[in-house]
Amino acid sequence: PVADSAPAIARAESPKGRRVGVDWASRSGREVYRLVCGWSNSVGTMTTRIVLVPGFWLGQWAWDDVVPALRERGFDVVALTLPGLEPDHRPDATVTLADQAAAIEAALDVDVERRILAVHSGAAFPGTLVLDRRPELVDRFVLVDTAPPKPGLAFNAEQVGDFTVGDAWSGLQEEGSFTDLTAAQLETFRERAVPQPASLVTEAVELTNDARHQIPVTVICTAFPASAYQEYATQGVPFLAALLDYSDVTYLDLPTGH
């Protein structure tokens, strides 16, 4: 999807390297299935649902170019607009991470054989809460340029007021988050982005179920290489440290922006 804030390693100093635009959905179905899902591509009539969750400021429209590519390869795909990020969301309406997690849970069809939950950036917070509340609903957790939070972590506990894309725009540019986005895509981003409710930015995620650590994880590393993710996790960088708690983590380098 188009870029949002980069919570995973925004405060870590990253190594410099060449970035090449990669559209992971346009790669061969066999390669994406093997690398991201970790399963054989010979699935017969088995149904796999992929739930796509965008990050800060974004709605389901951020996945518009991804959904058809996955459906063409036989996946049952649902893209979400999370509570609080609807175009008509009332500024005075309070929304919580639990509200967003409930919306994700509702999209994870209990009747299909396999379920993949793919979250981008800040959506890792409600996504990880889903793993904590209902680990049986997720067969693989895919993290697009992000990582699961530790218990008690908030995106920014000191945020005052809603967090707008205008607040972050210059920082995103400086960090290279917009790498490989066209002028048209950036304009769409500006036009359709909605403020991230302050209640979601400041809320500390409550996690109590260690069963979430047994769910296989794929980290798609776009703005930073996999080696940086692993190095910063080992150093205890707050937004990455929880990766060490998961028993089965696959890192996939697809260098581009955020």
Side-chain angles (χ1 to χ4, degrees):
V2 295
D4 73 314
S5 180
I9 37 184
R11 295 177 179 82
E13 184 175 348
S14 65
K16 302 295 183 181
R18 186 173 65 92
R19 289 174 176 173
V20 180
V22 177
D23 177 1
W24 69 273
S26 69
R27 299 176 71 162
S28 74
R30 182 180 298 276
E31 183 181 12
V32 170
Y33 198 86
R34 176 179 62 81
L35 292 175
V36 175
C37 307
W39 298 316
S40 166
N41 205 43
S42 301
V43 294
T45 59
M46 181 168 287
T47 302
T48 299
R49 167 160 288 192
I50 302 178
V51 176
L52 302 171
V53 189
F56 278 21
W57 313 305
L58 306 176
Q60 64 184 50
W61 53 269
W63 300 99
D64 282 352
D65 292 336
V66 177
V67 169
L70 292 174
R71 286 179 176 161
E72 286 174 4
R73 292 167 174 83
F75 296 104
D76 174 22
V77 185
V78 176
L80 298 182
T81 296
L82 290 175
L85 295 173
E86 308 93 336
D88 58 352
H89 177 71
R90 292 188 2 254
D92 60 337
T94 299
V95 63
T96 66
L97 291 175
D99 295 330
Q100 293 192 331
I104 297 172
E105 290 171 13
L108 291 163
D109 189 345
V110 297
D111 294 325
V112 300
E113 289 90 348
R114 284 171 171 163
R115 291 162 296 272
I116 301 171
L117 174 58
V119 299
H120 174 230
S121 198
F125 278 74
T128 303
L129 186 55
V130 170
L131 268 62
D132 192 75
R133 294 172 17 152
R134 299 288 304 279
E136 75 281 1
L137 284 181
V138 182
D139 295 291
R140 180 164 288 271
F141 192 31
V142 178
L143 296 142
V144 183
D145 209 32
T146 189
K150 282 275 194 181
L153 187 67
F155 180 79
N156 181 3
E158 299 178 357
Q159 174 72 26
V160 177
D162 293 346
F163 187 34
T164 70
V165 69
D167 296 334
W169 194 267
S170 61
L172 292 170
Q173 285 183 312
E174 291 172 3
E175 294 164 4
S177 292
F178 298 152
T179 299
D180 297 320
L181 290 178
T182 66
Q185 288 172 324
L186 286 172
E187 183 61 26
T188 297
F189 182 23
R190 277 189 178 277
E191 290 178 353
R192 304 193 67 173
V194 299
Q196 189 76 12
S199 58
L200 296 171
V201 178
T202 59
E203 182 181 350
V205 63
E206 296 184 8
L207 304 168
T208 60
N209 186 359
D210 288 344
R212 69 185 183 279
H213 297 147
Q214 303 308 311
I215 297 171
V217 170
T218 297
V219 183
I220 300 179
C221 307
T222 62
F224 298 85
S227 58
Y229 266 78
Q230 295 173 78
E231 178 183 349
Y232 296 140
T234 301
Q235 292 175 5
V237 172
F239 281 106
L240 290 173
L243 286 169
L244 302 180
D245 298 331
Y246 288 75
S247 61
D248 181 357
V249 181
T250 300
Y251 294 87
L252 174 61
D253 273 315
L254 290 178
T256 180
H258 183 59

